Amino acid sequence: MTRLSLRVQSGMYVLSFTLFFILTLIGAIGFGFNHYFYESKKDAMMEASREIGRIYAEQGRNGEEAIDMVSQNTGVDVLIVDDSQLVYSSRPSRRVWVSPPKMDENDVVVVVGKETEAQKHDANTQMPQHIRELTDLLHGREPDAATIGKVRFYERDNNFRYFDLVTRMDDGAYLLMICPLAPMQESIYLVQKFIVTCGIIWLIIAAVGTVLLTNKMTRPLLELKSLSAAMTHLDFTKKWQGKRTDEIGELGTSLNILSDQLNEALTALKQSNEELQKQLDKAKEVEHMRQSFIFAVSHELKTPLAIIQGYAEGLDSLHIDETTRQKYCHVIQSETVKMDNLVKSLLNLSRLETGSFKLEKTAFDFAALTDEAKERFANAIHKKGIHMEWHVPDEMTVYGDPEQIDIVLSNFLSNAIDYTPDGGRIAVSCKEQETNYVVSVYNQGIQIPEEYQPRIWEPFYKVDTARSRNVRRTFGGHGLGLGIVAALVKLHGQQYGVRNEADGVTFWFTIQKG
């Protein structure tokens, strides 16, 4: 395939498009403009007839000036016959000259505008159609009903063509409009001549413009220069977007290939660096978590150890009565239980996070599990005067580890009781889905700000931080409950979450149907 130079290509494109456009326009004017022009003229005559009819109905014979204006704007001759009288003519002197053939020069019949009666002439005389129609109207003969209100074309010879319209305006009043076509033919010829002249001028301009256009076609070279400059600065985002098949297109494609290869090599290097940086960041994060964990555990153990130490010293050094001794022993025992629960929770959380914890899944009745929870938390609910609602089906078979699901539900309930004000409301509900149940625990109270919601599932993160430090906690807590919930639900392959309600908070988790 022979490749053309840029100058030749641009010249061919511009000149071909220009020639095609001009030929198309000349063809449209030559073959379609006549019909379009004539149809437009017919529509104009119909519109003018309606306007004249309106004027005559409103002003009668006093509307000559208005009718003259319509006639001049439309370019048609207007005749009005009312009760067999010619009451209006737009022609000069308001006269209509009827010159029948085969008559002497002295035998010309003249119909004077607004006369009471037109002159008679030979019925066999050949005359233009509109003259015959006028004569019929002046003699009281109504026109053919099939022709009324229609614009018709008549041709007496090649030099005399016109449009004719007869329409009834009122009882006995008729409007006759005549439009010669010779002026229109002249207008069409002038338009065609103008288009051809403009086309020739445009061809000359296009030829000159082609030379100037070749200068613009050097712009792709500048784009390639910009692309290569970007590559030298390791910027490979810019690409050659051209679709050319000439030398410039081949050069642009080669630069794109080179850019892609360099970008792949640089990207691989960046990914290696990023992976190394991620490992360093992860190591720092693990170290930070280790330090935070040690600090949190130390802080949680410090308080009960100090209490135990103080009460133990009191038992050893003070002379106290039996009641006080029993009270001290009860406090020491209570703090010991808290420490034991903390250690067990830490062990469980560690097993869950390391993956050594094994579930014993089975099908069981979740409704029965909620009945046990009702009895377990009944005393705490009664002490705070909480209004408790249970919306759980009588039978609800689920599949999972019953003991661990009980821990999840218990943690949600204890958390809800801690943060529900005295006399508040807690609602437990279950919603059935296609393969799961959604268990929700709502408690009335302070909402959790959205920025804190992702962190409440972290170990040792106290809910008090996000909600209120003035909450009276019924079950204490070390900030491990929701962390254990998250781990257990994930181990079941289910989902969990929290959302704020209008007057409280709802915690939820899903469990598989049995």
Side-chain angles (χ1 to χ4, degrees), residues 430-438 494-495 508 510-511 513:
C430 297
K431 181 179 179 181
E432 184 178 1
Q433 294 183 336
E434 185 176 353
T435 58
N436 299 323
Y437 286 102
V438 179
Q494 298 298 313
Q495 297 178 334
W508 60 270
T510 62
I511 185 171
K513 287 184 178 180

Side-chain angles (χ1 to χ4, degrees), residues 194-209:
F194 177 79
I195 294 297
V196 172
T197 303
C198 290
I200 295 174
I201 295 174
W202 175 246
L203 278 176
I204 297 173
I205 295 175
V208 176

Side-chain angles (χ1 to χ4, degrees), residues 324-374:
T324 303
R325 186 188 67 79
Q326 291 180 357
K327 179 180 178 181
Y328 282 17
C329 289
H330 177 74
V331 172
I332 292 172
Q333 183 181 7
S334 175
E335 295 300 321
T336 304
V337 171
K338 291 181 180 179
M339 291 178 60
D340 180 64
N341 291 335
L342 174 60
V343 172
K344 289 180 179 178
S345 296
L346 288 172
L347 290 174
N348 288 334
L349 185 61
S350 176
R351 291 169 58 196
L352 287 169
E353 291 182 345
T354 58
S356 60
F357 191 91
K358 302 298 180 184
L359 296 177
E360 296 181 1
K361 292 185 178 182
T362 185
F364 66 96
D365 186 7
F366 185 81
L369 188 145
T370 58
D371 291 338
E372 296 177 2
K374 291 179 185 178

Side-chain angles (χ1 to χ4, degrees), residues 246-291:
D246 53 21
E247 296 83 358
I248 294 179
E250 293 175 356
L251 178 59
T253 303
S254 299
L255 285 177
N256 283 346
I257 295 174
L258 178 60
S259 176
D260 291 337
Q261 292 176 348
L262 292 175
N263 188 37
E264 289 176 2
L266 184 60
T267 301
L269 181 60
K270 288 182 178 179
Q271 289 177 350
S272 299
N273 292 337
E274 290 175 357
E275 191 66 27
L276 180 59
Q277 184 63 42
K278 288 180 180 179
Q279 294 179 2
L280 292 175
D281 293 341
K282 187 175 182 180
K284 291 180 181 180
E285 183 180 357
V286 170
E287 178 63 20
H288 176 72
M289 292 176 60
R290 185 186 67 81
Q291 294 177 358

Side-chain angles (χ1 to χ4, degrees), residues 176-193:
L176 179 61
M177 301 179 70
I178 307 97
C179 178
L181 297 184
M184 288 191 287
Q185 289 287 353
E186 182 66 19
S187 299
I188 294 172
Y189 172 76
L190 290 176
V191 170
Q192 293 173 334
K193 184 178 180 180

Side-chain angles (χ1 to χ4, degrees), residues 149-191:
K150 296 181 180 179
V151 179
R152 293 167 296 164
F153 170 78
Y154 291 106
E155 181 178 9
R156 183 176 178 181
D157 52 50
N158 292 332
N159 298 322
F160 190 46
R161 301 174 182 176
Y162 60 95
F163 284 139
D164 176 70
L165 171 64
V166 178
T167 182
R168 181 186 292 112
M169 296 188 298
D170 202 348
D171 292 338
Y174 291 88
L175 170 65
L176 179 61
M177 301 179 70
I178 307 97
C179 178
L181 297 184
M184 288 191 287
Q185 289 287 353
E186 182 66 19
S187 299
I188 294 172
Y189 172 76
L190 290 176
V191 170

